[in-house]
């Protein structure tokens, strides 16, 4: 890693309430100046319109994987990212986005036509069911301090 | 160019909450349809709430949406309290008002600065703003200072900005301490000039799009707020709390199975513009004094004035909070509890993006039988589609599709839609061929 080169960052949301995105934007209140110097935000839909998915240094993934389309997208991100980090409960353990996995028969019947129409997976998956993760920050929402700790650790690794 | 034919698809809108797309078909120079579609995968909360203990419900339903989570908590608590016949204390009501103020400061600032302001300045992203340009430098610092003040306040009052842990059925689990209150007063006074600058920016924004529609909002009886009041339908009536259930079941719910919500046959709009149009006279006196000519703009049918309404709401949230914090002491209170009973409860609040309905049906064992949730973006859907169709027709035939896409996305952004919430509706949209 060249000392002064910005790290290329992507932030991707799958099936979830995007609470981690909100926490991320709140962390920016104190860190935006530092992150502006440190990161090249290549693909962050909450921040910009012109998003590019090319080679990334770190991909942050929030949300669970609910469809083949999600899984294919996640695999594409994995191939293009040096480090992939699962963020928040839905990404790390699948819940609560995966609550339909635990429905009773009656509830499953009620939602069956919608699952079919959306071409959703029979069961909602956590991120590590689909791709290898390099780090995980759990919580609903994620713990800001733990997220910062992980970011700082990854940045230090890239600067080695 | 009357034979202009094309299909336009905006795959995934950016700088909005969640994931949505838009399909437009133009034939012979006329918009055949504009379909605003939520592309979030359903997480089935209305099914998941069945057989859950009622005391766990507000926290479960807050997971519908990260950004609106504290509004879902408030609506769910109100629904559960109505079902259990719990009347909250005066202090609880005030803490709930303050919870909603923290939410609106934080959430409106995110929308106004990170989502909407790049359009005003002709930039792709807020972080692209030039720190060496004095105007943009000020905007960058104002944005994060306002957001930080709202975030601090949400943590102080409700425990967290997202999925707040302190507010529960029957009261609060924790109360703000004097050190935190003093700090909040300091932060709010310090950030107030930045909020006044935000109002000035949006009073003078260069975009306008007027189309007559109907506005609906929960309008409080005494002060401008987001929890109490009657539902002003914009057609000369105001539905009181006793009428919530009938209004929800007779008017709002049937449309959750249709392609969008209407009231008396017409589309309507909810959100900051509706609130400002219907209740600006209830704003805090200090807010009224400081807003000057900005308030004269309302009532307005210009959708972009929703941005100005949000900016004025931030100021009201600051000013009313400051008055409360400076004049009131908060003391620990026990949580009010009542025996479980078989009942139906309705909660209605104004989320940042508009009127939010929660309905809960609970059994005598305290377990939830079923429920319904109606979100603001669902109610705005027909209005959004009608606006987009009118905008596209206005731009035909000489505007490039690239420019059209930009203008459409900008217009939708002014609605500040929330797709995490809206993944609950649009049932039939997906059933259409």
């Amino acid at each position: 890693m060249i000392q002064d080169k910005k790290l290329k960052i992507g932030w991707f949301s799958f099936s979830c309430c995007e609470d981690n995105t909100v926490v991320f934007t709140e962390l920016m209140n104190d860190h935006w100046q530092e992150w502006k110097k440190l990161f090249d935000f290549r693909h962050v839909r909450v921040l910009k319109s012109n998003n590019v998915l090319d080679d990334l240094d770190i991909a942050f993934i929030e949300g669970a994987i609910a469809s083949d389309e999600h899984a294919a997208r996640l695999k594409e991100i994995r191939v293009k990212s040096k480090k992939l980090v699962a963020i928040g409960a839905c990404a790390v353990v699948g819940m609560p986005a995966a609550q339909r996995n635990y429905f009773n028969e009656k509830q499953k019947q009620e939602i069956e036509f919608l699952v079919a129409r959306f071409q959703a997976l029979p069961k909602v998956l956590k991120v590590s069911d689909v791709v290898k993760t390099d780090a995980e920050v759990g919580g609903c929402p994620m713990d800001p301090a733990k997220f910062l700790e992980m970011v700082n650790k990854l940045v230090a690794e890239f600067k080695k | 160019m009357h034979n202009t034919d094309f299909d336009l698809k905006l795959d995934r809108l950016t700088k909005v909450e969640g994931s949505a797309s838009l399909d437009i078909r133009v034939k012979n120079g006329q918009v055949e349809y504009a379909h605003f579609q939520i592309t979030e995968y359903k997480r089935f909360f209305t099914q998941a709430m069945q057989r859950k203990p009622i005391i766990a419900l507000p926290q479960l339903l807050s997971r519908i949406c990260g950004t609106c989570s504290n509004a879902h908590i408030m609506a769910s608590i109100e629904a559960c309290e109505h079902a259990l016949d719990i009347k909250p204390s005066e202090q609880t009501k005030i803490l709930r008002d303050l919870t909603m103020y923290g939410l609106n400061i934080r959430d409106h600032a995110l929308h106004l600065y990170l989502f909407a302001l790049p359009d005003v300045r002709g930039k792709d992203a807020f972080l692209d703003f030039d720190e060496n340009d004095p105007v943009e430098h000020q905007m960058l610092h104002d944005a994060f200072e306002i957001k930080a003040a709202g975030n601090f306040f949400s943590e102080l009052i409700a425990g967290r900005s997202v999925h707040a842990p302190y507010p529960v059925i029957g009261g609060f689990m924790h109360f703000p301490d004097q050190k935190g209150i003093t700090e909040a007063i300091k932060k709010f006074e310090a950030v107030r000039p930045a909020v006044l600058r935000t109002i000035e920016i949006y009073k003078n924004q260069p975009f306008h799009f007027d189309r007559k529609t109907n506005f609906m909002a929960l309008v409080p009886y005494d002060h401008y707020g987001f929890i109490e009041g009657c539902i002003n339908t914009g057609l000369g009536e105001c539905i009181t709390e006793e009428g919530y259930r009938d209004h929800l079941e007779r008017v709002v719910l049937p449309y959750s199975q249709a392609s969008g919500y209407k009231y008396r046959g017409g589309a309507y709009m909810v959100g900051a513009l509706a609130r400002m149009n219907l209740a600006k006279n209830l704003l805090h006196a200090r807010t009224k004094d400081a807003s000057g000519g900005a308030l004269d703009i309302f009532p307005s049918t210009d959708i972009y004035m929703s941005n100005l309404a949000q900016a004025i709401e931030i100021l009201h949230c600051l000013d009313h909070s400051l008055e409360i914090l400076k004049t009131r002491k908060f003391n620990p209170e026990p949580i009010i509890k009542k025996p479980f009973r078989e009942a139906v409860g309705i909660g209605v609040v104004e989320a940042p993006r508009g009127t939010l309905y929660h309905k809960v049906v609970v059994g005598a064992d305290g377990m939830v039988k079923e429920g319904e949730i109606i979100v603001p973006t669902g109610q705005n859907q027909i209005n959004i589609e009608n606006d987009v169709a009118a905008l596209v027709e206005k731009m035909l035939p000489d505007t490039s599709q690239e420019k059209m896409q930009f203008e459409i996305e900008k217009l939708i952004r002014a609605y500040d839609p929330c797709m995490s919430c809206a993944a609950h509706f649009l049932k039939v949209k997906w059933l259409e061929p």
Side-chain angles (χ1 to χ4, degrees), chain B residues 218-229:
Chain B
L218 182 70
V219 174
Y221 299 113
D222 48 9
H223 62 269
Y224 197 99
F226 302 88
I227 296 184
E228 300 282 338

Side-chain angles (χ1 to χ4, degrees), chain A residues 15-19 22 25-26 28-29 32-33 36 41 45-51 66-67 69-70 96-97 99-100 103 107 110-111 114 117-118 140-141, chain B residues 12 14-15 18 40-41 43-45 47-48 50 63-67 106 114-115 124-125 127 129 131 140-141 144 147-148 151 160 162-163 413 420 430-431:
Chain A
S15 185
C16 65
C17 74
E18 305 202 1
D19 52 356
V22 178
T25 60
E26 292 306 332
M28 286 176 76
N29 298 339
W32 67 274
Q33 284 166 302
K36 219 177 144 174
F41 294 99
R45 283 188 187 272
V46 74
L47 295 181
K48 56 193 278 190
S49 293
N50 296 327
N51 292 286
S67 67
E69 189 194 344
H70 275 177
Q99 54 199 356
R100 70 174 162 89
F103 281 0
Q107 289 171 317
E110 281 170 7
I111 67 167
L114 286 166
R117 183 159 297 279
F118 277 82
C140 185
Chain B
R12 193 166 165 180
T14 56
K15 288 177 279 181
E40 300 258 335
Y41 278 80
R43 287 167 292 132
F44 302 107
F45 278 92
Q47 275 82 16
Q50 297 162 3
R63 269 69 184 179
I64 289 170
C65 172
T67 198
R106 182 195 69 65
L114 272 70
F115 297 173
D124 180 49
L127 285 180
F129 282 25
E131 273 218 79
L140 280 161
H141 287 263
F144 290 111
K147 260 164 52 55
N151 191 43
R160 203 160 53 197
V162 179
H163 311 322
R413 218 172 270 134
S420 302
W430 295 98
L431 295 175

Side-chain angles (χ1 to χ4, degrees), chain B residues 287-307:
Chain B
T287 303
K288 283 183 185 168
D289 285 347
S291 297
L295 278 181
D296 298 337
I297 291 169
F298 303 96
S300 169
T301 52
D302 180 350
I303 172 65
Y304 286 104
M305 286 307 158
S306 191
N307 291 333

